[in-house]
Every structure is written in structure tokens, then in C-alpha cells.
Amino acid sequence: LFAHELFCADLCPHPSADTSDMSFEELLELQSQVGTKTYKRLVAGNSSKKEGSRPRVQNACVADKHRPLEMSAKVRVPFLRQVVPISKKVARDPRFDDLSGEYNPEVFDKTYEFLNDIRAKEKELVKKQLKKHHSGQEHEKLQQLLQRMEQQEMAQQERRRQQELRLALKQEQRARAQQGHRPYFLKKSEQRQLVLAEKFKELKRSKRLESFLSRKRRRNAGKDRRHLPLSKE
């Protein structure tokens, strides 16, 4: 064993010798002489020395937050991906948003009171166009438009009448409270009865009560007819 180590020491290069300077034939000859295990140990020792002696180079590529995004090749890139961050637009409904404040019908009607003049002008314009078209599809469209305008006008008048009635009730309760009486707040059913009574008075003054009652009877008769059992012949 001692003789074999002496033989290897004579054949092997000096530990400080660089095997990278040797040719391929010399490396093969060295491997066949010293054996594969000793040869690998020599090559590994030389490579570790090179890495230890090599000066450490400072990384020149400094991380930058504005650099392009690097995607891994092992992960599949999605078809739709966000390249540039975009602020999402949030839709705001003024009917249910606290920023718009509370809905006050009286303030709303006073603020948009100018719309009544615009609606009146549009109604007159539709009537003039209706006189020009006595029949056909255009006549039907104008007739439906005029009917919808009249229904909207009647609904607005009814709403204004209810607001005036509620305002009168508030003033009456305020006057009773100033006199020392205990305030009495009407129920919704009682408020509906007052509204119907006021509507009855208005129809009676405008002489449209009979036509209103006849339409009401026909509507109620139609409802009752639907609930009747069908006669089998």
C-alpha cells in the first residue's frame, strides 16, 4: 500500500498544478494511471480552488421597481393578464348613495320646476304633429306618446296634491302642539282615506266623478269575473 501511494505521488501532478492546462490525452492517461476515484478528487480540488480564488464580482443589475415583469417559463402565462395597473371605476347610484343626501319631494319639485314648462312645450309639439298625421304607424306612435305624457302629468298632479295634504296636516299638528294639545299622528290607512276624500272632492268639482266611478265599476267587475268559476256546457 505504501509503495502504491509513492507510485501515485510520482505520477500525479502537484496539488497546486492546474489540470485545465493539460490536454485531453494527458487527462485520459492520468485517469488510467491514478484511477477514476483519485482523478475525480484532483479535478474537484482544482475547481474549488479556482472558485475560492476568483474575486467576487458585485451584481451590476440593481433591482428596479420600473423594470419589466419577468414571467417564469415553468408557469403558463394566462391569456388575459393585467400589464398596466388600471384603477377600477366604481359605479355610483345617486338613489342609494349617502353622498347625494336624503330625498325631499318638496325640494326636488322646487329645484326642477323648470321641467314643467319644457314638458308643456313638448306636449304642444306632439299635438301639432298628431294633427298632421291622421293615420298610419306614425299616428299610433304619437297617440301613445301623448297618452303617456298625460298620464305622467296626472300622476305628478296627484303627487303634488298628496304633498299639499301632508303639509296641511303637519301645520295642523304644529298648531295643536303650540296650543298645548297632545299631537296625534295619523296612520297610513287614515292618510289614504284622506287622500281618497280629497280626490273625490276634486273629481266632483271638475265634473269627472261619474266617468271615474263608471271606470271603477268596470274594473271591479272584470276582477270579479276572473274569480267566478267557468260554466261547463
Side-chain angles (χ1 to χ4, degrees):
L1 180 60
F2 181 70
H4 178 69
E5 292 179 355
L6 290 175
F7 176 73
C8 291
D10 294 336
L11 294 176
C12 294
H14 194 268
S16 62
D18 194 358
T19 55
S20 61
D21 298 336
M22 300 174 65
S23 63
F24 185 68
E25 295 177 355
E26 292 176 350
L27 291 175
L28 289 176
E29 185 179 358
L30 177 62
Q31 184 179 3
S32 61
Q33 290 176 359
V34 301
T36 305
K37 192 172 183 180
T38 308
Y39 173 76
K40 288 182 179 180
R41 188 167 62 249
L42 289 172
V43 175
N46 290 332
S47 62
S48 61
K49 287 180 180 179
K50 285 183 180 180
E51 292 177 359
S53 61
R54 185 180 299 171
R56 189 173 182 180
V57 181
Q58 188 176 3
N59 188 12
C61 183
V62 182
D64 187 9
K65 63 178 181 180
H66 299 293
R67 71 182 185 277
L69 181 63
E70 297 181 5
M71 304 298 293
S72 175
K74 298 181 180 179
V75 182
R76 186 175 181 180
V77 181
F79 178 71
L80 297 175
R81 60 192 180 98
Q82 187 176 2
V83 181
V84 180
I86 302 174
S87 57
K88 184 179 179 181
K89 294 183 179 180
V90 181
R92 188 175 69 88
D93 195 342
R95 297 175 299 172
F96 309 105
D97 199 342
D98 296 336
L99 296 176
S100 302
E102 296 182 358
Y103 173 68
N104 191 346
E106 299 175 1
V107 177
F108 182 84
D109 292 340
K110 289 181 180 179
T111 306
Y112 296 97
E113 192 175 3
F114 64 94
L115 293 177
N116 297 330
D117 299 334
I118 298 176
R119 293 193 188 99
K121 292 179 182 178
E122 290 178 351
K123 187 177 179 181
E124 293 297 328
L125 182 61
V126 171
K127 286 182 178 179
K128 290 180 181 179
Q129 293 293 330
L130 190 60
K131 291 179 181 179
K132 295 180 181 179
H133 302 83
H134 298 284
S135 62
Q137 188 176 4
E138 191 69 22
H139 175 78
E140 294 180 0
K141 289 183 178 179
L142 291 172
Q143 188 71 29
Q144 292 176 0
L145 180 59
L146 181 60
Q147 186 177 1
R148 186 165 65 249
M149 286 181 173
E150 291 176 352
Q151 290 177 355
Q152 290 177 356
E153 186 177 356
M154 291 175 61
Q156 186 178 5
Q157 291 176 0
E158 182 66 23
R159 187 171 61 252
R160 189 182 298 112
R161 191 160 42 245
Q162 292 180 7
Q163 291 177 5
E164 292 176 355
L165 180 61
R166 285 195 295 267
L167 183 60
L169 290 174
K170 287 182 180 179
Q171 291 177 355
E172 184 180 355
Q173 292 296 335
R174 192 178 295 112
R176 286 174 58 87
Q178 290 178 357
Q179 293 175 4
H181 297 285
R182 185 176 180 181
Y184 174 74
F185 299 98
L186 295 176
K187 300 178 182 179
K188 290 184 178 181
S189 59
E190 296 174 348
Q191 292 180 6
R192 285 195 295 268
Q193 290 177 2
L194 290 176
V195 170
L196 289 175
E198 189 67 25
K199 187 176 181 180
F200 182 83
K201 293 178 182 179
E202 181 66 25
L203 290 172
K204 194 173 183 179
R205 281 196 299 267
S206 59
K207 298 180 180 181
R208 290 186 292 119
L209 181 60
E210 292 298 330
S211 60
F212 174 78
L213 292 177
S214 62
R215 288 198 307 269
K216 194 76 172 177
R217 292 192 197 100
R218 288 197 299 269
R219 194 179 302 114
N220 293 334
K223 290 180 181 180
D224 295 338
R225 197 179 298 113
R226 284 197 297 268
H227 293 291
L228 291 177
L230 297 176
S231 61
K232 296 182 180 180
E233 295 179 357

